[in-house]
């Protein structure tokens, strides 16, 4: 039986089967792959510890299923099509055969430089085919990759290198993004001043920017691959060996390393890719994410390549050289499935329809959305003007921790509803609970979103700190995975994601912990204390609003705000810079010292009416002072 759902009744049947007989259901899908040794049992699980295993004792290498398996069947099919930042630069196309050779060659280069099974490798690279090659080469030799988004600062990069004790860093001389060439090697040099575990840095020449190459440490990519064989044995991996670590922000402390393992991730990303987007052989699939985020891992690299798809990678930004770039690329490559973020849609919507007009978007069959709730206006615009009213729009809800899409329509098969992620995919058992964890059954309910049964690509742990994983995801509600999102189920049984219920904000689809931003702001010597909240932002979904208590001596407000933004950019990266800063005389705190963020969120959203009960505040007057100076936020 095909793994692709073909009809609505097929979906209902598969869903029921996945709930009633999960082992048979997932076992059947996993049989589509090449295993070096068959699993003993499909799954074992305990959400208390948590301890979850899929395809227990199975041995497999994910790259054999991406590369070797496809060599003799679709070796000449395009695996990756790459569009450069500059429209004039030549396209790079890699067939499955060429990808196989390049991955093997780079695997051998890494091995020759001392990397082996279980070693951690940081990938801090632009959106070029070599980034995907690097990820796959790690997977081939059993090294654990951790891709760090190349917009993160040296401090953030160093934190991640140190947390996972990385042995190697893969980077480039610079990154082209729009009109800029960003000197990323210099960021790596800076980060390494506070890291002791890195033995080798391999540097891809991309921009031609001058870089310093330290002898014994730094090595050019082209030198590293020179003379390396174009085949390389695939390491035998246990199904539960770690495939990658991806750092993500939470409501407390530093970002945590979400751990994904080989077997379950392989099965789930393949299955969800194939079904949600209804991929058909020969289609060109384009996901606009960066490989630094989970969407890039699961739906630029792993899911599509496991399915033998042609995946498009774009180096640049949607607005360069003109804000018609996305539409131009869809036309150029006759893209069939297009997957992007609501923030991009809203930003491009602002340029009007004339810029879309010259392009032929008729190749599109499916359009998708990910990363944050898509508001109805953006949904309709996307559906009408990009999908021309006849492409199913799949609003896909999932998380770094879930590894793959969890709640989404299946394109053209299950119905869609604007702003609703809609229905769970087969194998996913979401429930909505109240504050005490009681399941809210039936329709027309709203509460916190949990998942009550394991799925193959769920996180297994947080790197080096299993207790943090338990605390964050499995302790709020006993026996369930807590997503951190609020959700409602409407009268039709469709799920709508309402956004985060914890201290995490979602800026342009990027997750940021308020505590992390506050810590960065507090590093500025003039800052005494700060509190950060999210507020509704027309393009970004949420903007970052910082309330800051400062020593103003020797500074104007404008200077200080600039300096604070620079501090945040240096410590985390430009994406975390506050959109608005308000200098305040105090923060609304309870007698136990807890900041009442509810009040700060209301002021930031310009909702100055009823502030609710402020009687428990240590100093209720502070609220008035904050309201009165709200218009100074900038
Ligand atoms: O709040 C949800 C939101 O993004 C969070 C996960 O962020 P991250 O781990 O960075 O992964 C983003 C890409 C998968 C979720 O907790 N989110 C993601 N997709 C949607 C969404 N909110 C509403 N609708 C979505 N389709």
């Amino acid at each position: 039986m095909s793994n692709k759902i073909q009809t609505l009744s097929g979906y209902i049947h598969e869903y029921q089967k996945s709930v009633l007989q999960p082992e048979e259901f997932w076992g059947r899908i996993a049989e589509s792959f090449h295993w070096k040794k068959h699993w003993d049992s499909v799954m074992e699980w305990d959400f208390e510890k948590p301890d979850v295993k899929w395809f227990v004792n199975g041995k497999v290498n994910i790259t054999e299923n991406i590369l070797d398996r496809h060599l003799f069947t679709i070796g000449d099919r395009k695996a990756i099509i790459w569009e450069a930042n500059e429209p004039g630069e030549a396209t790079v196309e890699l067939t499955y055969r060429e990808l196989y050779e390049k991955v093997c060659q780079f695997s051998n280069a890494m091995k020759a430089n001392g990397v082996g099974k279980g070693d951690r490798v940081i990938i801090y690279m632009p959106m070029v085919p070599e980034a995907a090659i690097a990820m796959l080469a790690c997977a081939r030799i059993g090294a654990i990759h951790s891709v760090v988004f190349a917009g993160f600062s040296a401090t953030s990069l160093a934190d991640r290198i140190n947390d996972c004790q990385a042995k190697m860093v893969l980077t480039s001389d610079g990154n082209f993004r729009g009109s800029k060439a960003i000197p990323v090697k210099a960021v790596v040099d800076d980060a390494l001043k506070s890291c002791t575990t890195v033995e080798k840095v391999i540097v891809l020449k991309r921009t031609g920017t001058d870089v310093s190459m330290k002898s014994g440490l730094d090595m050019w990519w082209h030198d590293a691959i020179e003379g390396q064989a174009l085949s390389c044995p695939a390491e035998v991996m246990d199904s539960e060996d770690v495939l990658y670590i991806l750092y993500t922000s939470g409501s407390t402390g530093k970002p945590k390393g979400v751990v994904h393992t080989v077997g379950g991730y392989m099965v789930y990303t393949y299955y969800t890719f194939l079904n949600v987007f209804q991929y058909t052989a020969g289609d060109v699939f384009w996901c606009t994410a960066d490989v630094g985020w989970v969407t890039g891992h699961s739906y630029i690299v792993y899911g599509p390549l496991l399915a033998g798809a042609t995946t498009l990678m774009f180096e640049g930004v949607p607005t360069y050289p003109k804000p018609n770039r996305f539409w131009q690329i869809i036309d150029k490559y006759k893209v069939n499935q297009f997957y992007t973020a609501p923030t991009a849609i809203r930003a491009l919507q602002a340029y009007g329809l004339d810029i879309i007009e010259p392009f032929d978007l008729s190749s599109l069959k499916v359009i998708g959305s990910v990363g944050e709730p898509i508001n109805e206006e953006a949904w309709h615009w996307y559906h009408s003007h990009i999908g021309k009213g006849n492409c199913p729009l799949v609003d896909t809800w999932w998380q770094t921790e879930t590894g793959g899409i969890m709640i989404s329509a299946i394109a053209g098969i299950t119905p869609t509803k604007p702003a609703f992620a809609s229905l769970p995919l087969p194998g996913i058992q979401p429930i909505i609970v109240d504050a005490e964890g009681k399941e809210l059954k039936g329709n027309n309910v709203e509460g916190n979103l949990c998942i009550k049964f394991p799925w193959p690509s769920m996180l297994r742990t947080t790197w080096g700190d299993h207790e943090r994983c338990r605390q964050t995801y499995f302790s709020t509600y006993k026996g369930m995975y807590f997503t951190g999102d609020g959700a409602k189920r409407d009268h039709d049984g469709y799920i709508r994601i309402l956004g985060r219920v914890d201290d995490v904000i979602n800026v342009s689809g990027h997750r940021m912990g308020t505590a992390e931003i506050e810590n960065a702001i507090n590093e500025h010597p003039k800052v005494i204390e700060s509190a950060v909240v999210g507020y509704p932002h027309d393009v970004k979904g949420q903007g970052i609003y910082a309330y800051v208590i400062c020593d103003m001596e020797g500074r104007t407000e404008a200077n200080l705000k600039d300096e604070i933004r620079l501090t945040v950019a240096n410590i985390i990266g430009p994406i975390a810079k506050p959109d608005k800063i308000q200098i305040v005389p105090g923060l609304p705190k309870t007698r136990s010292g807890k900041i009442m963020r509810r009040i700060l969120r209301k002021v930031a959203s310009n909702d100055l009416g009823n502030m609710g009960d402020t009687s428990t505040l240590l100093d209720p007057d502070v609220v008035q002072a904050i309201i009165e100076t709200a218009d100074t936020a900038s």
Side-chain angles (χ1 to χ4, degrees):
M1 190 188 156
S2 158
N3 291 326
K4 199 163 157 190
I5 295 167
Q6 321 270 353
T7 58
L8 183 57
S9 59
Y11 161 74
I12 295 168
H13 177 266
E14 290 291 273
Y15 188 79
Q16 282 170 347
K17 170 134 190 157
S18 76
V19 172
L20 297 174
Q21 297 169 309
E23 305 206 16
E24 278 179 34
F25 176 81
W26 288 114
R28 189 199 80 216
I29 294 162
E31 294 289 358
S32 324
F33 293 99
H34 169 71
W35 293 80
K36 287 169 180 286
K37 176 184 163 289
H38 200 270
W39 56 89
D40 295 336
S41 63
V42 172
M43 62 179 303
E44 283 174 8
W45 68 292
D46 174 346
F47 271 3
E48 299 285 316
K49 288 182 178 155
D51 182 13
V52 175
K53 293 190 178 75
W54 280 88
F55 312 110
V56 185
N57 294 328
K59 305 287 176 202
V60 66
N61 187 296
I62 196 167
T63 71
E64 275 193 335
N65 285 294
I66 287 175
L67 301 169
D68 310 55
R69 185 168 62 115
H70 291 143
L71 262 192
F72 298 104
T73 48
I74 53 167
D76 294 326
R77 184 182 294 169
K78 288 171 204 161
I80 295 178
I81 300 178
W82 176 75
E83 165 81 2
N85 181 60
E86 283 301 330
E89 190 174 335
T91 303
V92 172
E93 293 182 348
L94 297 177
T95 63
Y96 273 87
R97 179 166 298 106
E98 288 162 334
L99 184 63
Y100 169 90
E101 291 179 354
K102 285 189 182 292
V103 169
C104 286
Q105 187 184 41
F106 196 65
S107 302
N108 288 324
M110 283 204 292
K111 283 212 269 192
N113 283 287
V115 174
K117 185 171 179 179
D119 290 336
R120 274 79 62 205
V121 175
I122 294 280
I123 301 178
Y124 187 72
M125 291 184 69
M127 283 289 292
V128 290
E130 286 81 356
I133 291 167
M135 291 162 77
L136 296 174
C138 288
R140 186 138 188 111
I141 63 173
I144 299 168
H145 62 70
S146 184
V147 186
V148 177
F149 173 60
F152 278 122
S153 69
T155 314
S156 291
L157 176 60
D159 283 347
R160 286 156 172 79
I161 293 172
N162 287 331
D163 188 77
C164 71
Q165 306 264 291
K167 198 168 183 184
M168 180 177 269
V169 176
L170 307 176
T171 189
S172 63
D173 52 353
N175 290 2
F176 288 126
R177 271 186 83 71
S179 56
K180 290 182 253 169
I182 301 152
V184 284
K185 170 64 166 59
V187 181
V188 173
D189 294 344
D190 209 10
L192 291 190
K193 288 180 194 149
S194 49
C195 304
T196 53
T197 56
V198 175
E199 293 171 13
K200 268 276 174 314
V201 179
I202 299 186
V203 187
L204 179 78
K205 195 171 236 155
R206 173 67 190 121
T207 55
T209 311
D210 265 348
V211 293
S212 79
M213 297 291 280
K214 213 175 188 177
S215 106
L217 178 72
D218 296 321
M219 180 177 212
W220 288 109
W221 185 291
H222 51 263
D223 291 333
I225 58 174
E226 176 146 354
Q228 295 296 348
L230 303 183
S231 66
C232 172
E235 188 70 39
V236 180
M237 303 293 284
D238 188 89
S239 177
E240 282 301 327
D241 278 339
V242 177
L243 175 64
Y244 69 80
I245 306 169
L246 186 58
Y247 286 86
T248 191
S249 298
S251 48
T252 54
K254 292 201 166 177
K256 48 192 170 297
V258 167
V259 170
H260 285 294
T261 56
V262 179
Y265 183 83
M266 174 179 79
V267 170
Y268 196 75
T269 53
Y270 152 82
Y271 179 76
T272 51
F273 169 76
L274 189 68
N275 279 294
V276 170
F277 301 103
Q278 288 289 299
Y279 185 83
T280 304
D283 286 349
V284 175
F285 176 82
W286 183 20
C287 164
T288 68
D290 189 285
V291 286
W293 311 111
V294 74
T295 311
H297 286 62
S298 301
Y299 299 107
I300 293 178
V301 181
Y302 288 107
L305 295 176
L306 283 160
T310 300
T311 180
L312 181 82
M313 246 180 132
F314 172 45
E315 184 182 35
V317 296
T319 48
Y320 179 80
K322 291 202 194 117
N324 60 9
R325 194 71 192 278
F326 275 3
W327 322 133
Q328 185 227 337
I329 295 174
I330 292 174
D331 187 356
K332 181 171 175 185
Y333 297 104
K334 304 294 171 222
V335 170
N336 302 109
Q337 291 91 2
F338 176 66
Y339 189 31
T340 195
T343 187
I345 296 300
R346 288 190 297 262
L348 297 175
Q349 189 181 348
Y351 293 96
L353 299 176
D354 291 351
I355 63 159
I356 310 172
E357 183 62 28
F359 301 104
D360 176 9
L361 306 184
S362 64
S363 56
L364 288 176
K365 297 196 280 191
V366 177
I367 53 177
S369 169
V370 62
E372 50 175 318
I374 180 164
N375 49 308
E376 286 197 38
E377 194 198 344
W379 195 100
H380 285 295
W381 187 89
Y382 190 23
H383 187 253
S384 311
H385 300 296
I386 305 306
K388 309 293 181 195
N390 55 25
C391 295
L393 194 174
V394 289
D395 177 2
T396 65
W397 173 83
W398 58 296
Q399 309 178 296
T400 304
E401 295 84 346
T402 70
I405 299 170
M406 303 283 281
I407 302 179
S408 168
I410 295 180
I413 307 280
T414 61
T416 60
K417 192 183 262 199
F420 280 73
S422 79
L423 300 172
L425 295 182
I428 304 308
Q429 300 187 37
I431 60 170
I432 298 179
V433 299
D434 66 12
E436 279 71 51
K438 192 164 85 41
E439 179 170 358
L440 300 173
K441 293 197 172 136
N443 291 341
N444 278 323
V445 292
E446 185 174 321
N448 290 342
L449 181 65
C450 294
I451 315 286
K452 67 176 178 190
F453 194 80
W455 62 102
S457 65
M458 66 185 294
L459 88 163
R460 301 298 196 264
T461 186
T462 45
W463 184 260
D465 192 351
H466 191 64
E467 175 55 16
R468 192 168 176 201
C469 172
R470 194 191 65 78
Q471 283 259 342
T472 312
Y473 307 105
F474 298 91
S475 70
T476 316
Y477 303 113
K478 202 171 151 49
M480 291 177 233
Y481 167 81
F482 175 43
T483 64
D485 280 317
K488 78 172 193 184
R489 195 163 39 230
D490 77 350
H491 53 277
D492 290 328
Y494 282 61
I495 294 175
R496 178 174 191 156
I497 306 297
L498 302 171
R500 302 290 303 195
V501 294
D502 52 8
D503 288 328
V504 168
I505 44 187
N506 191 327
V507 183
S508 302
H510 300 146
R511 245 163 94 168
M512 233 105 36
T514 52
E516 199 187 339
I517 306 172
E518 288 161 8
N519 290 342
I521 293 175
N522 298 349
E523 288 289 308
H524 188 284
K526 289 282 189 182
V527 170
I528 297 161
E529 199 179 357
S530 64
V532 166
V533 295
Y535 72 99
H537 188 288
D538 284 350
V539 174
K540 299 178 177 184
Q542 279 191 298
I544 302 173
Y545 194 119
Y547 296 87
V548 188
I549 309 175
C550 303
D551 162 13
M552 296 293 296
E553 206 190 320
R555 298 286 203 288
T556 65
E557 238 187 78
N559 296 152
L560 200 55
K561 287 179 178 176
D562 287 348
E563 289 176 21
I564 290 173
R565 288 196 169 95
L566 194 64
T567 307
V568 175
N570 285 336
I571 294 176
I572 305 177
I575 49 171
K577 281 200 283 195
D579 297 281
K580 287 189 183 176
I581 300 177
Q582 182 179 346
I583 312 280
V584 292
L587 292 168
K589 286 190 181 171
T590 60
R591 290 196 181 88
S592 59
K594 202 169 171 298
I595 296 171
M596 260 208 188
R597 285 167 195 278
R598 175 175 59 78
I599 292 176
L600 297 177
R601 276 192 216 106
K602 276 178 150 272
V603 176
S605 317
N606 199 22
D607 173 11
L608 302 177
N610 179 12
M611 284 294 144
D613 180 11
T614 54
S615 61
T616 56
L617 288 180
L618 197 58
D619 177 7
D621 291 346
V622 114
V623 177
Q624 202 45 39
I626 291 176
I627 293 176
E628 277 164 16
T629 55
D631 58 354
T632 63
S634 58

